[in-house]
Amino acid sequence: YDDISISFNSGPAEGLKVDGGITSRWGPNAEVHITSSTLSNRDSQNAIIESIVAQADGSATLKLQTGIDAVISEQEEPGQGVEVVLVSRNIVVEGEASDNPQLGGYLQVFHTPGVAQTIEGVEFVNMGQEQGKNRFALQFLYTGDVPGTSISRNSIHHSNHRCIVIEGTSNATISSNVAYETAGHCYWFGHESIDNLIIKNIGSRTNNNIGWRDRISGHNDHEMATYQIYSPLNDYIANVAAGSDGRGFRMYNDWRTLGEDLVNTGKGSLRRVAMRTFKDNKSHSNSWQGFSLYDFEQFFTFRDDINVPVFENLMAYRNQNHGIHANNIGSAEFRGGVIQDNQWGVYIERSDGILIENMQIKGYTDLIKDITIPSNRLKLCRTQDWRHEGLTMMNTRWRYGEHDNGNGLRMKNVTFSDYDKNTDGCVSSWPIAMMNHKYHDTHFDYVSSWENVEIVDSRGYMFDGCGASQRWGFDDIVINDLDGSLDPTDGSAGPSALVSNFPHMTKIFGDKCTAYADNCMAYCTDVCLRTFYYNVEQFETENWKLVISNTNGDKMEVSGIIEASDNYQFTDAWKYMKFPVSLPAGTYTAEFIDESGNQVWPAFIEEKWENPPDCLGYASPSDITILKPEVSGPSCDELVRNGGQDASISTSDPWLHTHPGVEVAVGLGLDGSDAIKTINRKYHWTGLGQNIDTRCIKLMEGQYFEFSAWIKMLDSSGNPANVVDPDREWYRNMSPILTINAREYRDALTKQFIYTTEDRDKAWLARPYKPDGWNLVHGLFRLPENSPRVFWELERAPDNVEFIVDNASIKPVTCDPDMLLKNGKLEDAGVSKYWDTWGGEVGLDIVTGYGGSGNALKAFKRPHLSHGPAQIIDMDCINAGERLAFQAKIKFESSGATAVCNPYTWGSDRCSDFFMYTYTQGIRHYRRVAWIASDDPVDGWYEIAGVYTLNEDQANAEFAKVYFDGAVANLDVIVDDVEVKKIPQTCQELTLNPSFEESTAFWSFIDRGYSKVSLYSPGAGGESDFALRSYDRGSSEWRGIRQQLDNRCFVVGAEYKISAKFRLLNPSTGEGETCDTNVQYNSGERTQCPSVVVYGWQCEGDDVYWRFWNQIPGFDWDKDSFNDFENSFMVTDQLASCKSVHVYVHQVNRNWDIVMDDMKISAAGTDAPTYAPTLFPTETGVITTPKPTVPPTSMPTVATVTDCPGDTTGPMEVAAGPIMLAKSNSLCILTKAVVDANGAMSSIAPVARSYDGQAWEKSAGEFATMLLYGQEFGDYTSGSQITLPELDGGSKYFLTSYSYSLSEENTVARMLETATFGTTLSDLENWVQGTTFVDWVDDQIKKPITSHREFFRQRVNPRFAHSLPIGRSDHACKGQSRWRKFTFAKTDGELWWKEQWFEAKFNDGDKYITIKLNGHVRTVVESIAFKNPEYILEFNKKYKMRRRPREYVDGDFDLYMDDGSYQSLVNPPVTFYTDSIQ
């Protein structure tokens, strides 16, 4: 050895130089506590003052009785010198000395609301009881609101349990207290401590004497913090945590508000309330964190970046772990402060929307090195795997909710230094690094923007991009540098970006990027980058590339990222292959290529954009065009891939699972083939499925698809799953269903948030369920349109039931108009394929079918009369106006025995009807489309049939379903031979089932409950023939038989022939009844014979009710046989306009039964011309003219035309019966009148009229309507034809003509009455004789435009004294309002929800006094004063308005005065001058 040297650096200190202000309060023999200068709180010291000497510079020197270790002073490190506090007090409260920490003293203030408490200048020693509930050194417990309370300048040391505890207390001040050597938490502020001021307190040596087993149940004093804060609703200012075995400050906001005994008070989450002040607090020398800040979600209340927690001017130094540890902070600001000499400076975890501004972050400084290295004291980096980092930021967001902040980390005016020295013992030392948590995949999505960030590091280290890439796998980091402050070349003055230094991040920018040596980062100048990514299916895409190209031809290839590569993760339905890209604004294309460079498509693409950065010039969704290979129809004929149709399956790809797992089931499929199987399926909401190629969905947009899969279910032991019950509702989770999961953008323009819609129960388990065999899952549905991803899933079977799935298929369905309802005979696979239920909890089973053979569907356990069998139908091939036929056989059982129902009642014994439900753009239709018409079941089976015409909404239905509704719930409903099909348009024959061959189908009674129908034999054809009988018509002649006709056939000019055969029966004897063929109206004797009515509903003008009588010449009624009926008609404009047309047979004596057969309405002659041209030209050739019609027409043309008499010849009598009336060029009226023996007429009533050459029309009024009921004039060239009914009581028909003429003045007046707002005398006087109406109209058009609105505003809408919902303007200066004269209205006065402030503005030199309310000018006055001369109105001062002003000029209004009184002024008029403020 040689040249050995030992020198003295420092030794024990004999005194301390402190603030001279203490000399009057501190004295010899007093005890002081000196906090730690090191990383360990245990380096704090105590000493006794020997003397105090005041110094000339205003300081004081404390000479101590014994020396102390050297400490860091404020002179050496401003703001970080040790704290020296006086421990001794003149008043001492001391617990009885004991070695048992459970026997200390305690002081508790309990339930003293409104009573101010003062506890000041007291020394508490040996207080608090370990494990003692509410046995703390000093506690305020639910004292309530105690303004004026002071807990100040106390000293608490050697406490067995905490120091000061505040709970359920508000408006107290806790200030300048000193605590050291305390067990558990020291200062503790509970959930319900609010509005308290905690200022300038200090705690030191918070020890770990309370272990986990020693704590109070529900409390965590074993995780000691000098300040344990559960309430953000207090102000925490200039407090010091000067050393703890745990944390300095720990703020934890619960999602509840806990009260006494930690019971939830129901007052809501403390995480989401607005935090009060937290500033100028210090924390040092703690074993864990200086500041531990957990669970601040205030952002979710206010949804902005303004109302967020602010942590101001924090100082965290010499802490063994973190200076600041922020966890689960929705949004917050850290303004100012110094973070120094911590293992980790600022550590941000599970937090978003963070701003760090005006902060210094320092590493391992020389000062702390000098304190720690020469001794055995704790040092930074004392553990080999600890990294030394200034800012540890997140790499991925933690939460992705729609309303989460998403703005990552912003830094502004932040300096990093001292990370390049004194770090020999550290694994690494970086100013900025990323945390090692990977919440999702390795895509960096923590949006970050920095401004004026300075990093002082001699190594050139700035951001540990190498560690982020090599350790954590993050290769796509983007940090926007708003001002170019991080540019290594100092050449950028504008927005630039710091990115991972890889070609997939930089290549497209050309030479704009410069590598940051040893950082694995690059700096790209003059770009503002925004990140987006494509989520795609993971199968087969592992080696694909996303190619991004710009308009310059530059390309950049991006590889995909997946969360994990193990099979469980790889087949997870919610794991993606992700391709992230960061770009500035521009025009780009994006396409996927495989290993060979071929363009490919990954089944779907979800495009997701991060929040925009703080710079300008970033990319947006409209900048990118996705290129994709086209897809053809045949390739979309099967949407399930690897569905099990092949006997051998080598892989489970592309099958996905929702968290059980999926694998190939070798040899376990149908007939020993391979299938797909779940693995360890534990929960009902899990299952398996696949993505659907979205190109196929687009190609087949709006089309129905059919899902089919065979499934076998086993319990966890491999036995048949007997717990499955397909008759329960899907949400009971007792049976597998198909769920369509569609991903949807909240805003398709921004694409910033995407969510999942779950459309459940789209396919279900067919019945009957066979536990020990294969079962069919089947259903029809539409796939969602415009969804970026569609994923189907089999789920919802009970927990712990495994699936084995084979022959899975999704195929497009072609609508078949002849078979809209499928499997109507229940023969398809022998199960209820296609069938479902209407209503929940309905059992379905396959039973013996109609006629004792085949299958039928039985619905049992029906909770409600509307519940029963149902089926979705595809009506895409059906158009509005087309008709559907509904038919079925239906049977009812009770306890297994056949039951009967009553088809003629709405009561409890009613039958089920056939219904159709449709849904179209929010419009729902529930329509009864068929019903049982005849009460004559065969072996218990009823026939149900009906015809229904679809309207526009129903034909365009997004969803349609038919069901059976009506029978009482305790009956089982069985259906068979169910059909729904389109009825072809055949206008040659309008009636369906005209001859009733063993069926009443499509014919019905008129009004359920008032008549009945049934088959009747023999029919017109003899014993083997059937007819239709209407009986039990006793309530009204209106009751009878009806059928809906095809209204499309009713084209103007079309002619139809009505033919039928009728009998009338006595219901009691069955014998025939005789009617009077000469009566063609409803006679009082009710002897009229049957007529046929064409009844149109919803027609233009009114309903059409045309009644046709038998027109066979000279026919006589034969009561003992069927009587032929014939008539014909031509379709008019009105009938053609009807929405619905029926044929009715009724209006016969109510006491007779009507029997009808061979009821036909047939086209007469050629078809009427169609509205649209025919598809093909008319074929040429010889056209054979058909023979003339043999039967007479319904209204044969009358050869003789009856002219109206002259206007001077008087009335002319005409006879009843058919008549052709000539059209009148003047005015001709047909009237009815009674003529006496002298020829005098009375009881005159108009019947019809013709004028100005127009066709004849019925006169208005009840008489004409009733007389000609069911008739319309036939319009011909020669005249108008009608059949005039016979008149009773000597009445006759007369024609009378009238003439009239108008003067030119009257003619002009009539024109002006229709063309203007009304004729005036001046208009007529100013009319220039000879002016044509055309000239007048042209002249009016050329006149200047006048404003009706202006005219309207000048004359209407006076002021409203009270608010009204309409007709009121909300501001006096807006249009359509009137000015008021007085200045202040009632609403300007005192309002309980709003304060209103009056101000009179006047400055020297002003001419007028300006009167304002709430800062808005109301009027100007020359003078204003209080009515009471003892009070002077002060100008430019705000007065609060009192009560409601009187609403008239000089009415009173009041102002509150400073002395609590109120004084009155007069309500001034609204006045402004040319030289006043406006």
Side-chain angles (χ1 to χ4, degrees):
Y1 297 98
D2 193 9
D3 297 333
I4 298 174
S5 174
I6 299 175
S7 61
F8 176 80
N9 284 336
S10 64
E14 296 182 352
L16 294 169
K17 185 176 183 180
V18 297
D19 188 339
I22 58 92
T23 55
S24 61
R25 300 188 298 275
W26 296 13
N29 299 318
E31 182 179 7
V32 293
H33 178 77
I34 303 102
T35 62
S36 173
S37 292
T38 71
L39 296 170
S40 173
N41 71 88
R42 304 196 179 201
D43 290 333
S44 62
Q45 306 170 74
N46 280 44
I48 305 298
I49 299 174
E50 180 176 293
S51 63
I52 301 176
V53 179
Q55 302 295 327
D57 61 359
S59 65
T61 300
L62 301 181
K63 182 174 176 56
L64 306 177
Q65 293 182 2
T66 57
I68 60 171
D69 290 342
V71 295
I72 295 176
S73 68
E74 282 289 302
Q75 184 176 0
E76 294 171 293
E77 192 68 49
Q80 298 183 30
V82 297
E83 295 81 14
V84 180
V85 296
L86 181 69
V87 175
S88 302
R89 299 291 189 273
N90 294 329
I91 301 173
V92 179
V93 176
E94 185 172 1
E96 183 176 351
S98 172
D99 294 332
N100 187 347
Q102 299 180 6
L103 298 180
Y106 65 92
L107 175 59
Q108 183 183 85
V109 180
F110 182 56
H111 283 258
T112 58
V115 180
Q117 308 286 340
T118 301
I119 302 176
E120 296 181 348
V122 181
E123 183 178 354
F124 295 91
V125 186
N126 195 30
M127 301 291 282
Q129 298 178 359
E130 183 182 294
Q131 295 185 330
K133 179 181 178 181
N134 294 324
R135 297 295 183 263
F136 308 120
L138 174 57
Q139 179 184 31
F140 274 58
L141 182 62
Y142 290 97
T143 57
D145 190 14
V146 287
T149 292
S150 175
I151 309 168
S152 303
R153 297 185 299 280
N154 301 292
S155 167
I156 304 171
H157 58 93
H158 296 90
S159 168
N160 299 314
H161 205 173
R162 304 185 185 172
C163 51
I164 296 177
V165 174
I166 307 295
E167 177 61 299
T169 299
S170 60
N171 284 309
T173 298
I174 300 94
S175 68
S176 303
N177 296 288
V178 174
Y180 81 94
E181 200 63 60
T182 58
H185 303 307
C186 183
Y187 299 95
W188 191 95
F189 301 93
H191 295 73
E192 294 193 287
S193 61
I194 61 174
D195 296 330
N196 300 295
L197 175 62
I198 298 95
I199 185 170
K200 294 184 178 179
N201 300 282
I202 187 170
S204 175
R205 277 296 292 124
T206 305
N207 63 53
N208 59 1
N209 291 351
I210 296 177
W212 185 86
R213 292 175 177 164
D214 304 320
R215 65 188 177 90
I216 303 172
S217 177
H219 291 257
N220 61 349
D221 289 83
H222 61 292
E223 297 180 351
M224 67 300 302
T226 303
Y227 294 86
Q228 176 63 53
I229 300 170
Y230 288 105
S231 173
L233 300 176
N234 301 305
D235 292 322
Y236 304 93
I237 302 172
N239 300 286
V240 179
S244 165
D245 282 340
R247 302 174 175 90
F249 289 81
R250 181 177 185 264
M251 297 186 72
Y252 169 76
N253 296 316
D254 205 315
W255 57 272
R256 306 156 294 180
T257 300
L258 301 181
E260 292 189 68
D261 299 321
L262 302 181
V263 174
N264 190 351
T265 64
K267 295 179 181 179
S269 172
L270 287 170
R271 297 179 180 181
R272 303 199 171 191
V273 299
M275 189 184 87
R276 299 281 290 272
T277 303
F278 193 92
K279 69 176 183 179
D280 299 334
N281 297 297
K282 291 184 181 182
S283 189
H284 66 88
S285 306
N286 298 287
S287 297
W288 299 348
Q289 294 95 18
F291 293 91
S292 178
L293 310 172
Y294 271 61
D295 300 315
F296 288 82
E297 298 178 351
Q298 181 178 334
F299 172 82
F300 297 107
T301 298
F302 298 95
R303 305 289 182 189
D304 59 39
D305 291 326
I306 299 173
N307 294 292
V308 300
V310 177
F311 301 94
E312 189 173 354
N313 197 29
L314 303 187
M315 297 193 68
Y317 49 93
R318 302 196 291 272
N319 295 290
Q320 295 177 35
N321 283 1
H322 309 89
I324 298 175
H325 183 221
N327 193 315
N328 187 31
I329 298 182
S331 187
E333 296 181 3
F334 292 85
R335 297 179 185 163
V338 176
I339 312 299
Q340 179 174 319
D341 293 316
N342 306 285
Q343 187 69 46
W344 294 273
V346 179
Y347 194 91
I348 300 173
E349 182 176 8
R350 298 185 180 92
S351 300
D352 200 2
I354 303 299
L355 170 65
I356 301 176
E357 185 175 13
N358 299 326
M359 182 178 285
Q360 297 180 50
I361 302 177
K362 299 182 179 181
Y364 207 160
T365 64
D366 291 336
L367 183 62
I368 190 64
K369 176 184 177 183
D370 292 341
I371 289 291
T372 58
I373 289 179
S375 66
N376 292 323
R377 290 171 173 167
L378 289 176
K379 303 174 180 61
L380 294 177
C381 303
R382 66 183 187 276
T383 302
Q384 290 184 354
D385 59 348
W386 280 13
R387 306 179 191 282
H388 187 217
E389 295 167 354
L391 169 65
T392 308
M393 60 182 287
M394 294 176 62
N395 40 40
T396 64
R397 292 170 60 186
W398 183 40
R399 297 192 294 197
Y400 292 84
E402 180 177 6
H403 300 297
D404 286 316
N405 188 289
N407 285 325
L409 172 67
R410 293 182 173 101
M411 285 200 296
K412 185 176 182 180
N413 303 330
V414 179
T415 301
F416 294 85
S417 63
D418 294 294
Y419 286 90
D420 55 349
K421 53 187 178 182
N422 305 326
T423 58
D424 296 339
C426 301
V427 174
S428 63
S429 181
W430 283 90
I432 306 172
M434 288 202 322
M435 62 189 304
N436 61 354
H437 292 309
K438 184 176 68 175
Y439 295 117
H440 303 282
D441 48 39
T442 55
H443 163 54
F444 177 86
D445 59 9
Y446 198 56
V447 177
S448 299
S449 298
W450 299 351
E451 182 178 2
N452 193 26
V453 173
E454 182 183 4
I455 299 175
V456 180
D457 194 291
S458 59
R459 305 165 300 172
Y461 284 14
M462 175 188 61
F463 185 96
D464 187 12
C466 300
S469 173
Q470 297 163 11
R471 289 195 300 272
W472 321 131
F474 287 86
D475 293 335
D476 62 345
I477 299 168
V478 174
I479 297 168
N480 280 293
D481 182 16
L482 303 185
D483 61 350
S485 58
L486 297 177
D487 188 352
T489 65
D490 294 327
S492 176
S496 300
L498 185 68
V499 302
S500 297
N501 189 21
F502 294 97
H504 65 265
M505 298 296 295
T506 63
K507 187 174 181 181
I508 205 166
F509 304 133
D511 59 359
K512 287 187 174 183
C513 300
T514 302
Y516 246 120
D518 301 321
N519 289 259
C520 298
M521 301 292 288
Y523 192 85
C524 302
T525 59
D526 302 320
V527 293
C528 176
L529 302 185
R530 186 179 181 191
T531 300
F532 69 96
Y533 55 83
Y534 294 140
N535 281 338
V536 305
E537 185 175 69
Q538 54 270 55
F539 302 110
E540 300 182 354
T541 59
E542 302 96 311
N543 299 316
W544 288 10
K545 302 289 186 182
L546 171 65
V547 179
I548 302 294
S549 305
N550 62 19
T551 53
N552 296 326
D554 301 320
K555 296 180 182 291
M556 181 168 69
E557 292 187 357
V558 180
S559 299
I561 299 169
I562 193 167
E563 184 161 337
S565 58
D566 65 272
N567 188 64
Y568 174 86
Q569 295 282 359
F570 194 76
T571 56
D572 190 313
W574 302 113
K575 307 299 181 187
Y576 300 92
M577 186 69 73
K578 180 177 291 184
F579 291 82
V581 183
S582 299
L583 294 172
T587 301
Y588 306 92
T589 60
E591 62 180 329
F592 287 93
I593 60 172
D594 61 15
E595 298 93 319
S596 302
N598 301 313
Q599 189 184 70
V600 287
W601 179 254
F604 69 88
I605 293 178
E606 284 185 11
E607 183 177 346
K608 173 72 168 59
W609 286 75
E610 307 292 354
N611 281 7
D614 293 334
C615 47
L616 297 177
Y618 50 79
S620 60
S622 60
D623 293 348
I624 318 295
T625 300
I626 300 176
L627 306 179
K628 54 187 174 183
E630 295 298 323
V631 65
S632 62
S635 61
C636 296
D637 286 344
E638 175 58 76
L639 300 185
V640 176
R641 296 163 286 165
N642 192 24
Q645 286 79 7
D646 297 332
S648 177
I649 299 176
S650 60
T651 175
S652 65
D653 296 352
W655 286 85
L656 303 165
H657 65 84
T658 48
H659 302 302
V662 65
E663 65 182 2
V664 176
V666 178
L668 298 181
L670 288 164
D671 301 323
S673 64
D674 295 343
I676 300 296
K677 180 181 180 297
T678 58
I679 305 172
N680 298 323
R681 183 179 175 275
K682 295 184 180 298
Y683 306 109
H684 60 266
W685 44 267
T686 61
L688 46 71
Q690 289 187 18
N691 293 307
I692 298 177
D693 191 329
T694 52
R695 296 175 302 168
C696 293
I697 298 175
K698 189 66 177 177
L699 185 69
M700 302 177 178
E701 195 170 61
Q703 192 167 339
Y704 264 100
F705 291 84
E706 178 179 351
F707 177 86
S708 178
W710 289 93
I711 187 170
K712 182 182 285 187
M713 287 172 280
L714 308 173
D715 64 19
S716 57
S717 300
N719 300 315
N722 294 309
V723 295
V724 174
D725 184 356
D727 293 333
R728 303 300 302 275
E729 282 275 43
W730 70 263
Y731 54 79
R732 306 289 186 185
N733 308 313
M734 297 300 294
S735 178
I737 61 168
L738 177 72
T739 295
I740 302 297
N741 301 281
R743 300 281 281 168
E744 305 289 350
Y745 293 113
R746 186 70 72 201
D747 186 334
L749 295 178
T750 64
K751 297 183 179 178
Q752 287 187 233
F753 180 74
I754 191 167
Y755 63 97
T756 303
T757 62
E758 296 178 301
D759 197 0
R760 296 192 175 95
D761 204 24
K762 309 313 291 181
W764 47 87
L765 205 63
R767 273 74 119 198
Y769 170 60
K770 299 183 285 290
D772 58 349
W774 289 91
N775 294 272
L776 178 67
V777 179
H778 185 273
L780 284 182
F781 53 88
R782 298 187 196 273
L783 287 170
E785 301 174 11
N786 303 316
S787 296
R789 180 194 179 193
V790 178
F791 160 61
W792 66 265
E793 175 189 12
L794 285 175
E795 60 159 353
R796 295 287 159 177
D799 295 350
N800 300 307
V801 169
E802 298 289 354
F803 295 166
I804 302 177
V805 178
D806 204 355
N807 284 6
S809 171
I810 297 178
K811 294 183 177 181
V813 175
T814 301
C815 176
D816 183 355
D818 295 324
M819 191 183 294
L820 297 176
L821 183 139
K822 312 291 186 183
N823 195 21
K825 294 182 179 294
L826 281 303
E827 302 299 332
D828 194 339
V831 296
S832 63
K833 183 178 179 181
Y834 293 103
W835 286 93
D836 188 16
T837 63
W838 185 266
E841 307 291 315
V842 179
L844 291 181
D845 200 3
I846 300 296
V847 296
T848 302
Y850 173 69
S853 63
N855 294 330
L857 183 65
K858 177 179 179 178
F860 58 98
K861 295 189 302 185
R862 299 169 53 242
H864 188 265
L865 59 85
S866 66
H867 293 189
Q871 188 177 132
I872 296 169
I873 59 174
D874 176 6
M875 297 198 301
D876 289 349
C877 54
I878 308 300
N879 299 313
E882 293 184 327
R883 302 197 303 162
L884 301 184
F886 298 82
Q887 288 183 275
K889 299 294 192 298
I890 189 166
K891 185 178 181 179
F892 305 95
E893 287 184 351
S894 177
S895 302
T898 299
V900 296
C901 64
N902 185 352
Y904 307 118
T905 182
W906 297 106
S908 60
D909 58 342
R910 60 186 281 200
C911 302
S912 286
D913 296 328
F914 209 153
F915 276 78
M916 180 177 69
Y917 164 81
T918 58
Y919 175 87
T920 310
Q921 296 182 351
I923 300 173
R924 293 176 169 85
H925 289 283
Y926 303 82
R927 293 290 183 266
R928 182 181 290 103
V929 292
W931 48 87
I932 299 170
S934 178
D935 188 13
D936 49 3
V938 178
D939 295 329
W941 290 93
Y942 294 87
E943 181 179 35
I944 189 168
V947 177
Y948 188 79
T949 303
L950 297 181
N951 62 29
E952 197 75 33
D953 289 335
Q954 294 162 336
N956 296 320
E958 301 165 31
F959 178 82
K961 196 170 189 177
V962 293
Y963 60 100
F964 295 86
D965 174 346
V968 66
N970 59 13
L971 291 181
D972 300 338
V973 177
I974 306 171
V975 295
D976 195 5
D977 295 347
V978 187
E979 287 187 346
V980 179
K981 60 184 179 181
K982 186 177 98 171
I983 302 173
Q985 182 177 351
T986 54
C987 294
Q988 291 296 315
E989 296 291 343
L990 298 187
T991 57
L992 303 174
N993 187 26
S995 299
F996 318 106
E997 299 299 331
E998 301 184 1
S999 170
T1000 63
F1002 310 120
W1003 292 93
S1004 178
F1005 41 75
I1006 298 174
D1007 295 339
R1008 177 177 291 186
Y1010 296 98
S1011 64
K1012 303 175 182 178
V1013 298
S1014 68
L1015 287 177
Y1016 176 84
S1017 184
E1023 292 297 329
S1024 61
D1025 192 21
F1026 291 92
L1028 187 66
R1029 180 181 186 181
S1030 173
Y1031 64 103
D1032 277 1
R1033 303 174 50 253
S1035 61
S1036 170
E1037 271 77 24
W1038 184 266
R1039 316 304 171 196
I1041 307 165
R1042 68 183 174 94
Q1043 183 183 123
Q1044 183 181 4
L1045 305 177
D1046 190 342
N1047 63 300
R1048 295 171 297 172
C1049 295
F1050 293 98
V1051 179
V1052 176
E1055 297 182 33
Y1056 287 97
K1057 172 189 172 183
I1058 304 172
S1059 63
K1061 300 179 186 299
F1062 290 109
R1063 286 196 68 190
L1064 299 174
L1065 299 179
N1066 185 304
S1068 300
T1069 65
E1071 300 296 325
E1073 293 282 0
T1074 300
C1075 61
D1076 188 346
T1077 59
N1078 293 315
V1079 176
Q1080 295 192 355
Y1081 56 92
N1082 288 352
S1083 69
E1085 294 78 16
R1086 300 173 182 170
T1087 58
Q1088 67 269 19
C1089 294
S1091 58
V1092 177
V1093 175
V1094 174
Y1095 195 178
W1097 301 345
Q1098 297 176 281
C1099 314
E1100 291 181 2
D1102 201 353
D1103 289 348
V1104 169
Y1105 186 89
W1106 288 354
R1107 189 173 181 183
F1108 298 99
W1109 302 91
N1110 198 343
Q1111 294 294 316
I1112 298 177
F1115 90 98
D1116 293 321
W1117 187 264
D1118 183 353
K1119 70 181 182 66
D1120 296 321
S1121 63
F1122 281 89
N1123 296 268
D1124 289 336
F1125 177 99
E1126 291 181 1
N1127 207 322
S1128 61
F1129 64 92
M1130 182 179 292
V1131 178
T1132 64
D1133 289 332
Q1134 188 179 19
L1135 181 60
S1137 72
C1138 299
K1139 303 297 184 186
S1140 178
V1141 180
H1142 293 73
V1143 57
Y1144 274 48
V1145 177
H1146 66 158
Q1147 298 281 30
V1148 177
N1149 191 316
R1150 73 185 68 175
N1151 297 315
W1152 297 344
D1153 294 349
I1154 305 171
V1155 181
M1156 178 178 73
D1157 201 359
D1158 298 335
M1159 174 63 196
K1160 296 181 180 181
I1161 302 178
S1162 309
T1166 58
D1167 291 337
T1170 58
Y1171 286 113
T1174 53
L1175 295 178
F1176 302 102
T1178 305
E1179 295 183 1
T1180 59
V1182 178
I1183 301 175
T1184 304
T1185 305
K1187 295 180 180 180
T1189 305
V1190 175
T1193 59
S1194 62
M1195 199 176 283
T1197 305
V1198 178
T1200 303
V1201 178
T1202 301
D1203 293 319
C1204 289
D1207 55 6
T1208 61
T1209 58
M1212 180 182 74
E1213 182 179 345
V1214 294
I1219 188 171
M1220 178 75 77
L1221 296 174
K1223 301 172 185 177
S1224 174
N1225 289 323
S1226 56
L1227 171 63
C1228 185
I1229 299 179
L1230 175 68
T1231 59
K1232 179 275 302 181
V1234 177
V1235 182
D1236 62 16
N1238 298 320
M1241 291 189 294
S1242 62
S1243 301
I1244 300 172
V1247 176
R1249 67 178 182 173
S1250 172
Y1251 59 93
D1252 293 342
Q1254 301 295 320
W1256 280 81
E1257 62 186 18
K1258 295 178 187 178
S1259 295
E1262 183 179 359
F1263 177 78
T1265 301
M1266 295 304 296
L1267 179 68
L1268 301 179
Y1269 190 76
Q1271 292 199 72
E1272 297 292 338
F1273 280 95
D1275 186 20
Y1276 299 93
T1277 304
S1278 56
S1280 300
Q1281 180 176 322
I1282 199 165
T1283 300
L1284 297 178
E1286 295 289 344
L1287 297 174
D1288 298 328
S1291 297
K1292 297 180 180 180
Y1293 292 105
F1294 293 92
L1295 286 172
T1296 308
S1297 293
Y1298 302 89
S1299 63
Y1300 68 95
S1301 62
L1302 293 174
S1303 65
E1304 183 182 9
E1305 184 178 55
N1306 286 338
T1307 302
V1308 171
R1310 290 181 112 187
M1311 187 278 295
L1312 293 177
E1313 192 68 23
T1314 59
T1316 70
F1317 284 108
T1319 308
T1320 66
L1321 186 60
S1322 62
D1323 291 335
L1324 296 177
E1325 292 173 347
N1326 294 329
W1327 184 269
V1328 177
Q1329 193 169 11
T1331 301
T1332 66
F1333 292 168
V1334 172
D1335 292 338
W1336 180 85
V1337 170
D1338 186 60
D1339 180 65
Q1340 293 297 310
I1341 293 174
K1342 293 177 180 178
K1343 290 182 180 294
I1345 297 174
T1346 57
S1347 171
H1348 289 178
R1349 181 171 178 268
E1350 179 182 3
F1351 182 91
F1352 182 78
R1353 287 175 56 190
Q1354 290 173 351
R1355 290 163 174 80
V1356 298
N1357 199 20
R1359 185 185 61 81
F1360 284 89
H1362 305 287
S1363 296
L1364 292 176
I1366 59 173
R1368 180 177 182 269
S1369 175
D1370 61 355
H1371 193 278
C1373 295
K1374 284 191 175 180
Q1376 301 186 10
S1377 65
R1378 297 282 300 276
W1379 292 92
R1380 63 171 185 253
K1381 196 63 177 173
F1382 53 87
T1383 296
F1384 296 114
K1386 290 180 180 178
T1387 53
D1388 295 329
E1390 187 173 25
L1391 304 174
W1392 63 268
W1393 69 89
K1394 177 183 178 183
E1395 292 182 344
Q1396 313 237 48
W1397 296 90
F1398 168 94
E1399 184 180 11
K1401 296 283 290 185
F1402 185 80
N1403 296 308
D1404 291 341
D1406 290 348
K1407 184 176 181 180
Y1408 303 100
I1409 302 167
T1410 301
I1411 304 301
K1412 290 187 175 184
L1413 186 74
N1414 301 327
H1416 297 288
V1417 176
R1418 286 299 186 89
T1419 188
V1420 296
V1421 297
E1422 294 182 354
S1423 63
I1424 189 169
F1426 289 119
K1427 287 185 174 182
N1428 185 348
E1430 295 183 6
Y1431 286 84
I1432 304 300
L1433 179 67
E1434 297 182 44
F1435 295 136
N1436 307 318
K1437 175 180 178 179
K1438 292 182 179 180
Y1439 293 87
K1440 184 178 176 183
M1441 296 284 284
R1442 178 188 176 273
R1443 70 182 182 87
R1444 306 293 180 89
R1446 301 290 180 89
E1447 290 188 328
Y1448 53 87
V1449 175
D1450 294 338
D1452 290 347
F1453 72 96
D1454 300 340
L1455 303 178
Y1456 282 107
M1457 309 304 295
D1458 294 339
D1459 59 5
S1461 68
Y1462 57 87
Q1463 298 300 321
S1464 298
L1465 299 93
V1466 296
N1467 201 343
V1470 177
T1471 307
F1472 293 99
Y1473 305 96
T1474 57
D1475 56 348
S1476 67
I1477 186 170
Q1478 306 299 324

